[in-house]
């Protein structure tokens, strides 16, 4: 069975994710409504009426209940990107529509980026590179600095999400010290199996020489890392944020980093991007990258292959692999 499939995503996204090989594979497993994707849902009802599978990606407009009414045969939504939280309404799950996303695969480059940031943080590579640009120094100046090390570092992780879990597992390549995780809903045994220890937030903060954030942005997590929490970090610690900018109080972070007491590596900010001339952009101990940790370039094809395989599996079995529940869809990160 090749399910009747409609693609909805910006043309630029489709061209990025689906090369000639991926397009041929997609055409072999799906009966496509059109050879090219629609950019939005401003589509004639006659075309929507027969759609069984929606294939979406970044930039797809939110799916509304009214839209679901216009697609009475819709049985599956395959999102070739990360979280579907803002895309799929709860009504879709209650109608029995299966939903799956490539969020697990999108976690791979984020975890890899965070590992690289952690290694750089242990050596203070980025602040020292900035300093070296102004005042070049030799190896002998750093040799005796006991703080420049990735050996037995205590690493804190806030959020045992799919990315947080993968990051913890990657830390096994380092000869690190304790890895402490804060997550109010994580199971201690699962955290231990990944190579870490579940601990209260204040304990994680007080011991973390490197703190990495992987929590979703929810009302309960907005600005959860504020002045009090930052003050608990040991002097010389580095905060890494590849999750969401809104998790951190940026005014409090600016105040701490201005003193030079802690460093920060931020791939996400609030707002994003930061305005030109923002004080955080001027600090030598703060590195801000333009939200590059997630899937980019050729990495996005990994997500396209996942989506194609999901449609193939659905066509053969009527079941989407790794289908989300309504609750999981709300907190997917």
């Amino acid at each position: 069975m090749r399910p009747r499939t409609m693609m909805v995503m910006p043309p630029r996204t489709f061209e990025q994710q689906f090369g000639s090989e991926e397009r041929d594979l997609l055409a072999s497993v799906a009966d496509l409504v059109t050879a090219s994707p629609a950019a939005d849902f401003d589509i004639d009802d006659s075309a929507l009426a027969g759609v069984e599978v929606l294939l979406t990606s970044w930039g797809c407009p939110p799916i509304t209940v009214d839209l679901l009414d216009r697609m009475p045969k819709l049985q599956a939504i395959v999102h070739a990107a990360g979280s579907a939280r803002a895309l799929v309404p709860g009504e879709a799950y209650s109608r029995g529509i299966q939903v799956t996303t490539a969020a697990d695969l999108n976690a791979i480059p984020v975890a890899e980026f965070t590992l690289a940031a952690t290694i750089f943080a242990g050596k203070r590579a980025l602040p020292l590179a900035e300093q070296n640009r102004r005042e070049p120094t030799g190896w002998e100046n750093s040799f005796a600095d006991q703080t420049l090390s990735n050996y037995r570092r205590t690493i804190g992780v806030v959020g045992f999400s799919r990315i947080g879990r993968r990051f913890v597992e990657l830390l096994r390549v380092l000869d690190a010290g304790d890895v402490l995780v804060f997550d109010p809903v994580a199971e201690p045994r699962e955290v231990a199996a990944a190579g870490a220890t579940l601990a209260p937030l204040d304990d994680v903060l007080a011991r973390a020489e490197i703190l990495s954030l992987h929590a979703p942005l929810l009302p309960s997590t907005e600005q959860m890392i504020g002045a009090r929490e930052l003050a608990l970090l040991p002097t010389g610690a580095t905060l890494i944020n590849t999750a969401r900018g809104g998790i951190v109080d940026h005014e409090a972070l600016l105040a701490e980093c201005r003193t030079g007491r802690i460093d920060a590596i931020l791939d996400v900010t609030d707002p994003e991007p930061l305005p030109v001339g923002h004080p955080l952009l001027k600090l030598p101990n703060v590195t801000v990258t333009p939200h590059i940790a997630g899937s980019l370039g050729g990495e996005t094809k990994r997500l396209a292959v996942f989506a194609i395989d999901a449609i193939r599996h659905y066509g053969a079995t009527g079941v989407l692999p790794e289908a989300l529940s309504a609750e999981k869809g709300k907190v997917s990160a």
Side-chain angles (χ1 to χ4, degrees):
M1 175 184 172
R2 294 167 63 241
R4 188 70 170 160
T5 302
M6 173 169 282
M7 303 179 289
V8 184
M9 65 189 76
R12 181 181 176 186
T13 301
F14 180 70
E15 291 166 7
Q16 175 80 1
Q17 285 194 263
F18 293 82
S20 58
E21 181 179 350
E22 289 77 24
R23 295 181 197 192
D24 288 345
L25 286 172
L26 178 60
S28 72
V29 303
D31 177 16
L32 298 174
V33 174
T34 58
S36 299
D40 53 41
F41 292 108
D42 187 15
I43 302 166
D44 188 85
D45 280 0
S46 61
L48 292 174
V51 172
E52 298 168 295
V53 174
L54 269 181
L55 172 56
T56 62
S57 189
W58 290 291
C60 176
I63 298 167
T64 64
V65 173
D66 175 66
L67 187 60
L68 295 178
D69 291 337
R70 295 167 63 197
M71 294 186 288
K73 293 186 178 181
L74 182 65
Q75 296 297 315
I77 299 170
V78 179
H79 190 50
S83 172
R85 185 169 62 247
L87 176 68
V88 180
E91 179 72 14
Y93 299 97
S94 63
R95 293 187 185 194
I97 297 170
Q98 299 177 62
V99 181
T100 193
T101 84
D104 278 341
L105 296 177
N106 192 48
I108 294 173
V110 183
E112 292 172 343
F113 182 96
T114 309
L115 176 65
T118 298
I119 294 170
F120 270 30
K123 295 273 193 173
R124 295 201 74 232
L126 299 173
L128 289 175
E130 182 64 28
Q131 177 181 312
N132 197 58
R133 185 176 291 113
R134 299 190 305 271
E135 301 176 22
T137 59
W139 164 80
E140 63 278 0
N141 286 13
S142 301
F143 179 73
D145 189 338
Q146 294 292 314
T147 67
L148 304 182
S149 172
N150 282 299
Y151 179 55
R152 294 183 178 175
R153 285 280 193 184
T154 299
I155 298 172
V157 179
V158 175
F160 198 61
S161 60
R162 52 171 54 93
I163 298 171
R165 179 194 303 261
R166 192 177 289 271
F167 169 60
V168 168
E169 291 170 347
L170 286 181
L171 286 172
R172 289 171 175 161
V173 305
L174 297 179
D175 194 1
D178 293 335
V179 179
L180 306 175
V181 170
F182 167 73
D183 190 311
V185 298
E187 291 291 334
R189 281 183 292 183
E190 291 184 9
V191 174
T197 302
L198 200 63
L201 179 59
D202 283 5
D203 291 356
V204 173
L205 294 170
R207 295 182 56 195
E209 296 172 279
I210 298 170
L211 181 71
S212 188
L213 305 182
H214 299 285
L217 181 59
L218 304 169
S220 60
T221 63
E222 188 170 1
Q223 295 200 355
M224 68 179 294
I225 305 299
R228 188 191 75 84
E229 290 74 23
L230 292 168
L232 291 174
L233 290 172
T235 296
T238 299
L239 171 75
I240 300 172
N241 191 5
T242 57
R244 292 291 184 266
I247 296 170
V248 179
D249 180 339
H250 280 52
E251 289 302 315
L253 179 64
L254 174 62
E256 281 285 355
C257 290
R258 264 181 172 158
T259 69
R261 197 183 74 81
I262 66 171
D263 299 339
I265 300 174
L266 309 175
D267 190 53
V268 290
T269 57
D270 184 26
E272 187 176 296
L274 291 176
V276 174
H278 191 284
L280 279 171
L281 297 173
K282 299 177 181 180
L283 294 179
N285 59 330
V286 176
T287 300
V288 181
T289 52
H291 204 145
I292 58 174
S295 297
L296 299 175
E299 294 169 331
T300 65
K301 289 180 171 57
R302 179 192 283 141
L303 282 61
V305 171
F306 166 88
I308 294 165
D309 287 343
I311 294 172
R312 178 189 290 113
H313 192 274
Y314 173 78
T317 67
V319 177
L320 275 185
E322 301 179 48
L324 298 172
S325 65
E327 202 57 37
K328 285 184 178 179
K330 289 178 184 175
V331 300
S332 176

